[in-house]
Structures are given as C-alpha cells and as structure tokens.
C-alpha cells in the first residue's frame, strides 16, 4: 500500500470525494464516548477532518508522508507517519495506549491491510466496553448512462492492473471477514449504504482516473489506460463541452461493529 499512492498524492487530494456528514453522524451515534478516534490510512485527511468535529482528539496515521503533506491541519488532529507494520509496543506508544480509543475507522483502505494483525491491534486499543470499528469503501463513480458506459469499458480494461485486494471493494465489503458484534440499535454489521458526491468537469474526472493505483501500475508497465481514443469517447459522452460540470456520485458501503468482550 505504501507505494501505490505516492506518485499521485496531489491528484488524489484534488479529486477524491469528501465523505458525507450523515455517514459520520451515524458512526458517532454508535460510540458511547467521543474522546479519541483513530483514523487508519488517513491519506490526505478526508475522514480525519470530519471526525475532528465529532471527537475531542483524532490520531490520523498513514504510511505515506506524501499523502500526509496534503492533509488539512486542525488543532485536535495529530497526523503521524507509521511503518507498514506496528508491533503492539509501537502501537501503544505511537498511536494510543490499550483500551483508550472510542472509534477506529478505516476509509477506503482496509483492503490494503493484513486483517488478522490489524484486528489484533484494533482490539488492543479499543475501549471496553463500547469501542467501535467502522470501515468503509466507495465503489466506482456514477455520472450518467452515457459517461458510465464508456467508464465501465475503461474499468474493465484496467482490471489486470489492480491489486488483488481491490476485489474486496468490488464486492462492496460484503464478504469481508469482520469479527465484531452489531452496534447498539442494529441487527447486523452491514454493509450500510451511503453516498458521496463531487462536482467535476471533464478535466477533474480524468485526473480522478489518473489517481487510481491501477493507472500508476499500468504506466509503470508502459501502458496508457487513457488513450487518445478513450479520452475522445469520454469527451463525447460528457457532451462535447469539457468545461461542463457534472455531479459525480460515489456509492459508499460501511461495515461497523463493536468490540467483543
């Protein structure tokens, strides 16, 4: 994961969607306390900023210093670069002491993690009882039938350049091993569905595609996914006016549960 988003960190922060406030309100309503949240794989801080309005303190970690350099600075967010793996001692020293975290969240990054090791760390730092783990992913964007038809052709062609873990996102986290109990008021751990929206012109939409890890991998292998023909087809589907702004919708799928005691 550490190397997949370094080269396009600026593209990432410029084009990735901000998550909807109703997602964070739902999550925060399930944690009895709102003192400390840990945002794992924070990237450029999209989730951390929203968490900071609901929790007294946020520790936001990522393996990429390039991503962290674009994260907004707020007084109650502590951004920390961490190595790809953390021993229990390092976790408690550099992230949080045992049983002190009210919420651990992972936005669009869980599929890059070693899950057994990650879950062990989560269970160590979550408050007991009541500590909550919330993880979510967003799937590919929806614009309109014309644009989406061309997009899905491109996405199919990009398939061989995605890491195998990407399948978890395509599966909307439905088959995810998630060893947690349903939070209060819910009968399951989800997925619960939300949506993010972002206004984009054609140039921003293409920049979003260039922010894919698969796009970077393809470029390193000498393959340009956005060929002249593909860009031309997308421009025609967009309506011929690349400056026209369209609403791009990203479906979000949330798994949420409380730690088992």
């Amino acid at each position: 994961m550490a190397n997949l988003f370094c080269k396009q960190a600026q593209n990432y922060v410029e084009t990735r969607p901000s998550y909807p406030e109703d997602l964070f309100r739902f999550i925060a309503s399930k944690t009895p306390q709102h003192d400390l949240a840990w945002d794992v794989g924070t990237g450029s801080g999209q989730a951390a900023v929203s968490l900071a309005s609901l929790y007294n303190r946020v520790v936001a970690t990522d393996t990429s210093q390039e991503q962290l350099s674009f994260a907004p600075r707020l007084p109650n967010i502590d951004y920390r670069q961490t190595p790809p793996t953390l021993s229990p001692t390092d976790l408690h020293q550099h992230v949080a002491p045992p049983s002190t975290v009210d919420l651990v969240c992972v936005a669009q990054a869980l599929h890059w993690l070693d899950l057994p090791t990650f879950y062990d760390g989560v269970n160590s730092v979550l408050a007991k009882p009541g500590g909550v783990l919330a993880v979510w992913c967003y799937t590919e964007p929806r614009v309109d039938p014309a644009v989406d038809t061309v997009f899905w052709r491109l996405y199919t062609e990009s398939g061989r350049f995605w890491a195998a873990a990407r399948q978890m996102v395509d599966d909307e986290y439905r088959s995810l091993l998630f060893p947690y109990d349903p939070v209060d008021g819910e009968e399951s751990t989800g997925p619960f569905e939300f949506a993010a929206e972002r206004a984009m012109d054609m140039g921003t939409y293409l920049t979003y595609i260039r922010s894919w890890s698969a796009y970077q991998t393809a470029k390193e292998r000498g393959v340009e996914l956005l060929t002249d023909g593909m860009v031309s087809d997308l421009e025609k589907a967009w309506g011929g006016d690349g400056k026209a702004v369209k609403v791009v919708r990203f479906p979000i799928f949330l798994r949420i549960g409380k730690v088992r005691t």
Side-chain angles (χ1 to χ4, degrees), residues 13-161:
V13 71
E14 289 176 352
T15 62
R16 294 301 173 115
S18 298
Y19 304 113
E21 290 307 309
D22 59 340
L23 168 67
F24 294 100
R25 287 194 297 269
F26 176 80
I27 293 170
S29 73
K30 304 303 182 181
T31 64
Q33 305 296 324
H34 298 86
D35 180 40
L36 177 60
W38 175 24
D39 181 24
V40 183
T42 191
S44 49
Q46 285 94 338
V49 171
S50 293
L51 290 170
S53 67
L54 297 166
Y55 291 83
N56 294 333
R57 296 180 296 135
V58 177
V59 175
T61 61
D62 202 277
T63 59
S64 170
Q65 186 58 51
E66 290 84 354
Q67 288 278 349
L68 291 172
S69 68
F70 289 99
R73 265 46 191 178
L74 292 177
N76 64 331
I77 301 178
D78 184 2
Y79 291 105
R80 302 177 185 177
Q81 183 184 14
T82 55
T85 58
L86 283 170
S87 69
T89 299
D90 289 339
L91 177 65
H92 297 152
Q93 180 177 354
H94 298 296
V95 177
S99 303
T100 60
V101 178
D102 302 305
L103 170 70
V104 177
C105 82
V106 191
Q108 195 70 1
L110 185 74
H111 45 287
W112 301 119
L113 306 181
D114 177 78
L115 292 184
T117 301
F118 173 67
Y119 288 148
D120 284 345
V122 168
N123 294 339
S124 173
V125 298
L126 276 180
K128 302 171 185 65
V132 167
L133 172 64
V135 304
W136 65 89
C137 65
Y138 57 85
T139 54
E140 297 314 310
R142 275 67 167 171
V143 181
D144 58 39
V147 174
D148 294 349
T149 296
V150 181
F151 173 87
W152 284 109
R153 193 173 83 233
L154 169 64
Y155 189 70
T156 299
E157 292 177 4
S158 73
R160 61 195 171 105
F161 300 109

